Amino acid sequence: MSPRVLIVGLNYSPEHTGIAPYTAGMAQALRESGWDVEVITGLPHYPQWRIHDGYPRTGDPHEVIDGVPVLRVPHPVPHDAGQLRRLGMEIVFGLRAATAPWGRPDAVVVVTPALFASAIVRVRAALTRTPVIAWVHDIYTAGLSETGAAGGPVTHMMRAVEGTFLRSCSGAVVIHDRFADYLRGHMGVAAERITTVRNWTHISEAPTVDTDALRRRFGWGPEDVVVLHTGNMGAKQDLTNVAAAAQVAERTGAPLRFVLVGGGHQRPQLEQLATTTPRFEVLPSVDNDTYAGLLRAADVLLVNERPGLTEMCVPSKLTSYFTADRPVLAAVEAAGPSAAELAAADAGIRVRPGDPEALVEGAMQLHDEWITTGGATHRGGRRYVREVLSRGAAVRSFVSAVAKLLPVTTEHRAPATVNS
């Protein structure tokens, strides 16, 4: 009698940053709750924009990850995140996901911002009148506009496409109330079809890694005030601003060391900057335990966004930052969701984006306050995670959103397998 749900999303485990941990975590949680869940996903490639080792483009596409049957469909992986190349990847993934064996799911969950792939899958679902939920992590057209990736006419056209797609879905799950407002006001999605399900943290509050040993491993001295940025290195992160802040720190004698951890299409440019910029370094992606340890080993945790971003996303790194119990510095717009999250959690301070001097001043202010008060300031992050961003609350809200679409009774079916 278990409801059968098919989740279709380009990103999934073993990717451990961005959207993938939430898709994988929700699939596992639904499966553990008795739902019959299957996943169709792509080849793991994010944030390095190359296929992970051990995942050839050919071979058996079936896996079982944490009890969840997973089907991987092949698709091109561009060497960078250029819009045309990314569009090509999305379309190929969408076509192959739509033509893969589905069985007879009671509902399909499509994960965006893979907009075109999701729209193609939506067409397949419509042929069998299967209800579809769009799980919106980023607003596609807001991203095009705010990052300057497309001009006005293209953005207007894409907004019409995105709005039509979202209105055609049976429901939408968004990760922040700001997104819900945007879908109602700009996309014409009915309020009763929108459910807010907050992303949760997926790192341990008490990592097993020795943080002092990590500082020694990476050459961070006791006098270094480490300002750590993690995750994707792309256009919206504007990380050349962080390199410029490192130059300001060097010039003024501030004891700051700016460190980036992760991958992305701007990583080669940033690595080149690191060779000529003291107090600025770029580290590769790390495993989950090391990542949790690095957050605790740093002195200040950084969110840096391109000026002008007010609608497009809520950085997933914030939930991990809050759990790490370290002060957070956010170089973001005051009107954006990142600033709202930081204020709600009382976990740090905001400075102007695109201003390296402000970044240095903010980092020093946070560190000085932390030392002066014995770490008593900006400690609300962990409380906020437990009260607002818990995995249990997210699963309950998500189950409620999907359950609204299901028939009152479901026909008994055999449990899904990787070959179903």
Side-chain angles (χ1 to χ4, degrees):
M1 299 289 291
S2 299
R4 176 171 289 180
V5 176
L6 175 67
I7 299 176
V8 183
L10 185 56
N11 302 98
Y12 200 76
S13 179
E15 295 177 1
H16 55 79
T17 189
I19 295 172
Y22 301 106
T23 307
M26 187 61 71
Q28 181 184 358
L30 292 176
R31 189 86 176 180
E32 291 171 350
S33 298
W35 291 56
D36 194 355
V37 179
E38 295 180 272
V39 171
I40 297 177
T41 189
L43 299 170
H45 63 275
Y46 184 84
Q48 296 86 359
W49 291 96
R50 65 174 184 273
I51 298 173
H52 290 197
D53 294 339
Y55 281 88
R57 294 174 186 268
T58 59
D60 187 0
H62 299 97
E63 295 181 76
V64 176
I65 301 177
D66 294 322
V68 179
V70 175
L71 171 66
R72 294 192 185 273
V73 298
H75 56 81
V77 176
H79 66 275
D80 59 33
Q83 291 300 320
L84 289 178
R85 295 185 181 92
R86 179 170 174 171
L87 176 60
M89 176 179 67
E90 280 191 28
I91 290 174
V92 172
F93 170 73
L95 289 170
R96 288 180 170 163
T99 54
W102 282 17
R104 291 187 294 130
D106 295 300
V108 176
V109 176
V110 292
V111 185
T112 70
L115 173 61
F116 288 91
S118 298
I120 293 169
V121 171
R122 171 72 185 89
V123 171
R124 158 77 185 267
L127 297 176
T128 55
R129 298 184 179 180
T130 305
V132 173
I133 279 187
W135 190 2
V136 181
H137 288 261
D138 286 335
I139 297 171
Y140 198 94
T141 48
L144 290 177
S145 175
E146 293 181 349
T147 62
V154 174
T155 299
H156 288 310
M157 180 185 70
M158 290 303 303
R159 182 174 289 120
V161 171
E162 187 170 20
T164 300
F165 160 69
L166 290 171
R167 290 191 300 274
S168 76
C169 292
S170 307
V173 169
V174 297
I175 64 171
H176 197 275
D177 289 337
R178 185 72 61 87
F179 285 19
D181 294 341
Y182 192 94
L183 263 59
R184 286 193 297 267
H186 295 277
M187 301 291 182
V189 181
E192 62 271 17
R193 291 192 174 192
I194 305 172
T195 303
T196 298
V197 176
R198 304 301 304 276
N199 281 344
W200 63 96
T201 185
H202 51 88
I203 69 165
S204 170
E205 286 189 7
T208 58
V209 177
D210 184 335
T211 55
D212 289 336
L214 274 181
R215 287 184 69 100
R216 292 192 297 270
R217 170 182 163 186
F218 291 109
W220 305 341
E223 73 285 354
D224 289 324
V225 178
V226 176
V227 182
L228 179 67
H229 181 283
T230 69
N232 190 40
M233 303 178 187
K236 68 184 179 184
Q237 286 78 31
D238 189 31
L239 294 174
T240 54
N241 179 60
V242 181
Q247 294 171 348
V248 173
E250 175 69 13
R251 185 173 67 249
T252 60
L256 302 174
R257 180 191 289 260
F258 292 89
V259 181
L260 312 182
V261 176
H265 73 276
Q266 290 197 350
R267 180 184 169 89
Q269 174 189 354
L270 295 165
E271 286 178 321
Q272 183 60 38
L273 279 173
T275 63
T276 58
T277 306
R279 303 180 185 271
F280 179 67
E281 58 186 290
V282 181
L283 303 178
S285 297
V286 295
D287 61 69
N288 286 340
D289 286 342
T290 303
Y291 176 72
L294 282 174
L295 296 183
R296 298 292 297 275
D299 298 287
V300 175
L301 302 176
L302 175 64
V303 176
N304 192 87
E305 294 178 353
R306 176 177 174 150
L309 299 189
T310 59
E311 301 288 354
M312 65 175 294
C313 69
V314 179
S316 60
K317 64 174 68 69
L318 271 177
T319 56
S320 299
Y321 284 6
F322 292 162
T323 300
D325 206 26
R326 287 292 183 270
V328 178
L329 176 63
V332 301
E333 295 287 0
S338 296
E341 282 294 277
L342 190 65
D346 186 23
I349 63 173
R350 186 198 73 86
V351 298
R352 293 184 305 277
D355 186 337
E357 287 80 9
L359 199 57
V360 169
E361 292 172 6
M364 290 305 304
Q365 176 187 333
L366 270 180
H367 180 64
D368 290 346
E369 289 178 359
W370 188 267
I371 296 300
T372 301
T373 64
T377 56
H378 309 300
R379 297 294 293 270
R382 189 170 288 182
R383 170 197 55 77
Y384 189 71
V385 165
R386 290 170 178 166
E387 294 179 0
V388 180
L389 304 181
S390 73
R391 182 173 183 261
V395 172
R396 287 191 295 272
S397 297
F398 199 93
V399 166
S400 177
V402 178
K404 293 176 185 177
L405 308 181
L406 301 177
V408 176
T409 60
T410 55
E411 178 185 351
H412 178 72
R413 300 187 179 101
T417 69
V418 295
N419 294 303
S420 62

